[in-house]
Amino acid sequence: MLGFMDYVQQAFFTASHWNPDNSYGHLTATARDTLLYGRLYLPNSHLEALYLRRLSPTTQLKISCVSSSALKSGGSILLLLQNDVGKYSTEYLYSTDSALLGVRGLYNFGQDPREGASSPESEALTKAKTALQGKEGIGGRNGRFSAGAEMYYGLLNKSGGMSTGIRFTTLPSHSGFPYTMTLTLNPLMGNLSTTYAVKAGRSLALCSRFDFNFYSYESELQVGMELWRRRNLRQTDLQWVHKKIKGREGWDIPASSLLLAETVQGSDEEHRDENTAGVLKARVNQDWGIGLLWEGRVKELLYTAGILIDVKRKEQIFRGLGLEIQYSS
């Protein structure tokens, strides 16, 4: 589940053209955008701060700070330097917790994304060619296979770790349902995790995750879904007039008005996915632990309501209930 800060970062990435659609079509952007964000939780005086700076078209600096009395040292700072050139990406991090140093890397196999088609006409032509040649999925240009790894070391506690993973995801040119598969392994801790997510429809996404530990033989399975509720497309100011006078003798509708109405309606169709009124998130694990979350909006008011249910504990089925209200102007 994404937090409010995650949504703020996503909005900044989209506005600054930082790999917003996984096509790397905006790496030539030269804007050096900056984001400053702060949030205070009351009454426990928990403070969060975020600084994002676009250093270059492919480099970004992120500084996250947390101040809370619940933390051992009273707070922590995380510095993250990201570099994404399309074919590969790297991240360097430092955290004040245990003076942690880390490095991450991701490599995309196959065609260089920077050399891919950027225009809608070229993408449509490429999609038609690959469909005729039967090169769908991993073997063609409609999917991307990636591999990555991370290493970290704590200077204070003199301990380190590492993990590696692989990922396959479909590209926008894929003609079927978009899906993503991942496999991650932490050899030191013996943890293995696999995920599979698919967008089954315009308003429905399904996902699953399986975790297994080689040392303890413990495993966990979770299945989740997201269901979006869309706003009804409103009719333009001219459409209701056209319906009233349509077919009446002596009343002619100007061609320019019809063209304007069709243009506005087409624009609404293109931006339909952005008109989200709310989203329902649900998950269930192998022990019949159920979690439900609803995120909605009423004008400038954002609200989130969630509940945790344990079916096996009949004496106390409801494990938790939460409500969050935010105002966005």
Side-chain angles (χ1 to χ4, degrees):
M1 182 182 66
L2 294 177
F4 184 73
M5 182 177 290
D6 298 316
Y7 289 110
V8 174
Q9 293 184 58
Q10 289 182 356
F12 173 77
F13 295 156
T14 302
S16 60
H17 304 297
W18 176 267
N19 188 15
D21 54 2
N22 203 27
S23 64
Y24 303 94
H26 304 282
L27 287 177
T28 57
T30 58
R32 293 189 175 183
D33 298 318
T34 303
L35 172 66
L36 295 175
Y37 168 82
R39 193 179 191 187
L40 177 64
Y41 294 84
L42 296 176
N44 54 2
S45 300
H46 180 88
L47 178 64
E48 294 180 353
L50 174 67
Y51 173 81
L52 280 176
R53 173 68 173 178
R54 185 78 173 272
L55 302 179
S56 70
T58 60
T59 307
Q60 180 174 266
L61 175 64
K62 174 183 176 182
I63 303 178
S64 303
C65 306
V66 178
S67 177
S68 176
S69 58
L71 299 178
K72 183 178 180 180
S73 59
S76 64
I77 301 177
L78 174 64
L79 287 81
L80 186 64
L81 181 63
Q82 301 171 316
N83 183 43
D84 190 346
V85 298
K87 187 65 175 180
Y88 64 90
S89 62
T90 56
E91 293 184 359
Y92 306 92
L93 64 90
Y94 172 78
S95 177
T96 56
D97 290 339
S98 302
L100 184 67
L101 294 173
V103 58
R104 300 170 181 167
L106 179 69
Y107 184 82
N108 297 307
F109 293 90
Q111 183 184 11
D112 193 333
R114 294 169 292 181
E115 300 175 357
S118 58
S119 63
E121 295 79 6
S122 301
E123 291 182 356
L125 181 60
T126 303
K127 181 179 178 179
K129 288 182 179 180
T130 53
L132 291 176
Q133 297 174 359
K135 295 182 179 181
E136 297 286 342
I138 299 180
R141 298 182 178 179
N142 296 329
R144 178 178 296 130
F145 181 76
S146 308
E150 67 174 359
M151 296 182 293
Y152 48 90
Y153 181 79
L155 300 178
L156 298 182
N157 54 20
K158 308 298 181 180
S159 64
M162 65 169 296
S163 64
T164 182
I166 56 177
R167 179 188 67 185
F168 175 78
T169 182
T170 57
L171 299 179
S173 57
H174 180 60
S175 59
F177 293 113
Y179 63 91
T180 300
M181 299 181 294
T182 65
L183 173 65
T184 58
L185 173 65
N186 189 327
L188 298 181
M189 304 299 297
N191 293 328
L192 175 68
S193 178
T194 62
T195 65
Y196 178 78
V198 58
K199 189 175 181 181
R202 190 178 66 88
S203 303
L204 177 64
L206 305 173
C207 62
S208 62
R209 186 181 71 183
F210 177 74
D211 298 325
F212 180 76
N213 188 279
F214 291 102
Y215 301 144
S216 63
Y217 296 102
E218 294 181 353
S219 62
E220 182 181 10
L221 175 64
Q222 288 192 13
V223 179
M225 60 159 285
E226 289 188 359
L227 181 62
W228 292 276
R229 178 176 175 267
R230 310 292 183 181
R231 295 190 183 95
N232 295 327
L233 295 177
R234 64 177 181 85
Q235 294 182 343
T236 63
D237 296 337
L238 297 178
Q239 285 178 321
W240 71 273
V241 179
H242 297 162
K243 290 184 178 181
K244 289 292 184 180
I245 66 178
K246 183 179 180 180
R248 293 192 178 184
E249 185 177 358
W251 290 77
D252 296 330
I253 303 176
S256 59
S257 299
L258 290 176
L259 180 59
L260 177 60
E262 293 177 358
T263 302
V264 175
Q265 183 177 2
S267 178
D268 290 342
E269 292 286 344
E270 294 176 359
H271 298 84
R272 185 185 304 176
D273 291 342
E274 300 179 1
N275 297 328
T276 303
V279 55
L280 174 65
K281 301 181 181 181
R283 64 173 175 84
V284 58
N285 58 21
Q286 60 188 14
D287 298 324
W288 289 102
I290 303 175
L292 298 174
L293 182 71
W294 172 259
E295 298 178 351
R297 177 174 183 174
V298 178
K299 294 183 179 180
E300 286 79 20
L301 193 66
L302 305 176
Y303 65 92
T304 303
I307 187 174
L308 294 177
I309 303 175
D310 191 348
V311 178
K312 291 186 175 181
R313 298 181 59 179
K314 296 183 179 180
E315 68 281 358
Q316 189 180 358
I317 296 181
F318 299 101
R319 297 290 304 276
L321 180 65
L323 176 64
E324 183 181 50
I325 300 177
Q326 304 171 75
Y327 179 79
S328 175
S329 59

